[in-house]
Short mmCIF file of all heavy atoms in Angstrom, two decimals:
data_model
loop_
_atom_site.label_atom_id
_atom_site.label_comp_id
_atom_site.label_asym_id
_atom_site.label_seq_id
_atom_site.Cartn_x
_atom_site.Cartn_y
_atom_site.Cartn_z
N SER E 1 -22.41 -195.97 52.18
CA SER E 1 -21.68 -195.59 50.97
C SER E 1 -22.17 -194.26 50.41
O SER E 1 -21.36 -193.39 50.05
CB SER E 1 -21.80 -196.68 49.92
OG SER E 1 -21.29 -197.90 50.40
N VAL E 2 -23.49 -194.09 50.30
CA VAL E 2 -23.99 -192.84 49.72
C VAL E 2 -23.84 -191.68 50.69
O VAL E 2 -23.58 -190.54 50.29
CB VAL E 2 -25.45 -192.97 49.23
CG1 VAL E 2 -25.58 -194.09 48.20
CG2 VAL E 2 -26.42 -193.19 50.37
N GLN E 3 -23.95 -191.96 51.99
CA GLN E 3 -23.79 -190.91 52.99
C GLN E 3 -22.39 -190.31 52.93
O GLN E 3 -22.20 -189.11 53.17
CB GLN E 3 -24.07 -191.48 54.38
CG GLN E 3 -24.11 -190.44 55.50
CD GLN E 3 -24.39 -191.06 56.85
OE1 GLN E 3 -24.04 -192.22 57.09
NE2 GLN E 3 -25.02 -190.31 57.73
N ALA E 4 -21.41 -191.14 52.59
CA ALA E 4 -20.02 -190.67 52.50
C ALA E 4 -19.83 -189.64 51.39
O ALA E 4 -18.85 -188.89 51.40
CB ALA E 4 -19.09 -191.85 52.29
N LEU E 5 -20.75 -189.61 50.44
CA LEU E 5 -20.65 -188.69 49.30
C LEU E 5 -21.48 -187.43 49.47
O LEU E 5 -21.47 -186.55 48.60
CB LEU E 5 -21.06 -189.41 48.01
CG LEU E 5 -20.19 -190.61 47.63
CD1 LEU E 5 -20.77 -191.30 46.40
CD2 LEU E 5 -18.76 -190.20 47.39
N GLU E 6 -22.20 -187.32 50.57
CA GLU E 6 -23.05 -186.15 50.82
C GLU E 6 -22.25 -184.86 50.67
O GLU E 6 -21.18 -184.69 51.27
CB GLU E 6 -23.63 -186.24 52.23
CG GLU E 6 -24.33 -184.98 52.72
CD GLU E 6 -25.67 -184.72 52.07
OE1 GLU E 6 -26.38 -185.71 51.77
OE2 GLU E 6 -26.01 -183.54 51.87
N GLY E 7 -22.78 -183.95 49.85
CA GLY E 7 -22.18 -182.63 49.69
C GLY E 7 -21.06 -182.55 48.66
O GLY E 7 -20.61 -181.45 48.33
N GLU E 8 -20.58 -183.68 48.17
CA GLU E 8 -19.53 -183.64 47.15
C GLU E 8 -20.07 -183.07 45.84
O GLU E 8 -21.26 -183.18 45.53
CB GLU E 8 -18.95 -185.03 46.91
CG GLU E 8 -18.12 -185.55 48.07
CD GLU E 8 -17.19 -186.68 47.65
OE1 GLU E 8 -16.96 -186.86 46.42
OE2 GLU E 8 -16.69 -187.39 48.53
N VAL E 9 -19.18 -182.47 45.07
CA VAL E 9 -19.55 -181.90 43.78
C VAL E 9 -18.89 -182.72 42.68
O VAL E 9 -17.67 -182.92 42.68
CB VAL E 9 -19.12 -180.43 43.67
CG1 VAL E 9 -19.42 -179.88 42.27
CG2 VAL E 9 -19.83 -179.58 44.73
N VAL E 10 -19.70 -183.23 41.76
CA VAL E 10 -19.23 -184.03 40.64
C VAL E 10 -19.81 -183.42 39.36
O VAL E 10 -21.03 -183.26 39.25
CB VAL E 10 -19.66 -185.50 40.77
CG1 VAL E 10 -19.22 -186.30 39.54
CG2 VAL E 10 -19.10 -186.13 42.04
N ALA E 11 -18.96 -183.08 38.43
CA ALA E 11 -19.38 -182.52 37.14
C ALA E 11 -20.39 -181.38 37.32
O ALA E 11 -21.38 -181.28 36.61
CB ALA E 11 -19.98 -183.62 36.26
N GLY E 12 -20.11 -180.52 38.29
CA GLY E 12 -20.95 -179.34 38.50
C GLY E 12 -22.26 -179.61 39.20
O GLY E 12 -23.12 -178.72 39.25
N HIS E 13 -22.42 -180.78 39.78
CA HIS E 13 -23.65 -181.16 40.49
C HIS E 13 -23.30 -181.53 41.93
O HIS E 13 -22.31 -182.22 42.17
CB HIS E 13 -24.33 -182.35 39.83
CG HIS E 13 -24.90 -182.05 38.47
ND1 HIS E 13 -24.12 -181.72 37.38
CD2 HIS E 13 -26.20 -182.03 38.04
CE1 HIS E 13 -24.91 -181.53 36.33
NE2 HIS E 13 -26.16 -181.71 36.71
N ARG E 14 -24.14 -181.09 42.85
CA ARG E 14 -23.92 -181.41 44.26
C ARG E 14 -24.71 -182.67 44.64
O ARG E 14 -25.90 -182.78 44.35
CB ARG E 14 -24.35 -180.25 45.16
CG ARG E 14 -23.97 -180.47 46.64
CD ARG E 14 -24.30 -179.25 47.48
NE ARG E 14 -23.62 -178.07 47.02
CZ ARG E 14 -22.34 -177.77 47.27
NH1 ARG E 14 -21.61 -178.61 47.99
NH2 ARG E 14 -21.80 -176.67 46.81
N ILE E 15 -24.03 -183.60 45.29
CA ILE E 15 -24.66 -184.85 45.71
C ILE E 15 -25.42 -184.65 47.00
O ILE E 15 -24.90 -184.08 47.97
CB ILE E 15 -23.61 -185.96 45.88
CG1 ILE E 15 -22.98 -186.32 44.53
CG2 ILE E 15 -24.21 -187.20 46.53
CD1 ILE E 15 -21.85 -187.33 44.60
N VAL E 16 -26.65 -185.12 47.01
CA VAL E 16 -27.48 -185.14 48.22
C VAL E 16 -27.82 -186.60 48.50
O VAL E 16 -28.30 -187.32 47.62
CB VAL E 16 -28.77 -184.33 48.04
CG1 VAL E 16 -29.63 -184.43 49.30
CG2 VAL E 16 -28.45 -182.87 47.74
N ALA E 17 -27.53 -187.06 49.71
CA ALA E 17 -27.78 -188.45 50.10
C ALA E 17 -29.00 -188.53 51.00
O ALA E 17 -29.15 -187.73 51.92
CB ALA E 17 -26.57 -189.03 50.81
N ARG E 18 -29.85 -189.51 50.76
CA ARG E 18 -31.02 -189.73 51.59
C ARG E 18 -31.14 -191.22 51.92
O ARG E 18 -30.85 -192.07 51.07
CB ARG E 18 -32.30 -189.27 50.87
CG ARG E 18 -32.36 -187.77 50.64
CD ARG E 18 -32.54 -187.01 51.95
NE ARG E 18 -32.34 -185.58 51.80
CZ ARG E 18 -33.27 -184.72 51.42
NH1 ARG E 18 -34.47 -185.17 51.11
NH2 ARG E 18 -33.00 -183.44 51.31
N CYS E 19 -31.58 -191.50 53.14
CA CYS E 19 -31.78 -192.88 53.58
C CYS E 19 -33.26 -193.23 53.50
O CYS E 19 -34.11 -192.52 54.06
CB CYS E 19 -31.29 -193.05 55.02
SG CYS E 19 -31.34 -194.76 55.62
N LEU E 20 -33.57 -194.29 52.78
CA LEU E 20 -34.95 -194.74 52.64
C LEU E 20 -35.23 -195.87 53.63
O LEU E 20 -34.38 -196.73 53.86
CB LEU E 20 -35.21 -195.25 51.22
CG LEU E 20 -34.92 -194.29 50.07
CD1 LEU E 20 -35.24 -194.97 48.73
CD2 LEU E 20 -35.70 -193.00 50.21
N PRO E 21 -36.43 -195.90 54.20
CA PRO E 21 -36.81 -197.03 55.05
C PRO E 21 -37.04 -198.28 54.21
O PRO E 21 -37.45 -198.19 53.06
CB PRO E 21 -38.10 -196.55 55.72
CG PRO E 21 -38.68 -195.56 54.76
CD PRO E 21 -37.51 -194.89 54.10
N VAL E 22 -36.75 -199.43 54.79
CA VAL E 22 -37.02 -200.69 54.09
C VAL E 22 -38.47 -201.08 54.37
O VAL E 22 -38.76 -202.04 55.09
CB VAL E 22 -36.02 -201.79 54.51
CG1 VAL E 22 -36.26 -203.08 53.72
CG2 VAL E 22 -34.59 -201.32 54.29
N GLU E 23 -39.35 -200.28 53.83
CA GLU E 23 -40.79 -200.46 53.98
C GLU E 23 -41.43 -200.09 52.64
O GLU E 23 -41.10 -199.04 52.07
CB GLU E 23 -41.35 -199.55 55.08
CG GLU E 23 -40.74 -199.79 56.45
CD GLU E 23 -41.24 -198.80 57.49
OE1 GLU E 23 -42.32 -198.20 57.26
OE2 GLU E 23 -40.56 -198.62 58.51
N PHE E 24 -42.30 -200.93 52.17
CA PHE E 24 -42.87 -200.73 50.84
C PHE E 24 -43.54 -199.36 50.71
O PHE E 24 -43.24 -198.60 49.78
CB PHE E 24 -43.86 -201.86 50.50
CG PHE E 24 -43.18 -203.16 50.22
CD1 PHE E 24 -43.14 -204.16 51.18
CD2 PHE E 24 -42.56 -203.39 49.01
CE1 PHE E 24 -42.50 -205.36 50.93
CE2 PHE E 24 -41.91 -204.58 48.74
CZ PHE E 24 -41.88 -205.58 49.71
N ASP E 25 -44.41 -199.01 51.61
CA ASP E 25 -45.13 -197.74 51.49
C ASP E 25 -44.25 -196.56 51.84
O ASP E 25 -44.16 -195.58 51.09
CB ASP E 25 -46.37 -197.75 52.40
CG ASP E 25 -47.44 -198.71 51.92
OD1 ASP E 25 -47.44 -199.06 50.71
OD2 ASP E 25 -48.28 -199.14 52.74
N ALA E 26 -43.57 -196.62 52.97
CA ALA E 26 -42.79 -195.48 53.45
C ALA E 26 -41.62 -195.16 52.54
O ALA E 26 -41.24 -193.99 52.41
CB ALA E 26 -42.31 -195.74 54.87
#
């Protein structure tokens, strides 16, 4: 879902999407 919004501009802000690992520390 968030990857689909990568690079879109909303209210003058550019969306950057990042994928987090499902790991507590990482």
Side-chain angles (χ1 to χ4, degrees):
S1 301
V2 302
Q3 187 180 29
L5 298 176
E6 169 73 35
E8 289 200 16
V9 176
V10 177
H13 292 66
R14 187 175 301 281
I15 294 175
V16 178
R18 294 290 169 85
C19 186
L20 304 180
V22 183
E23 301 175 20
F24 288 101
D25 291 338

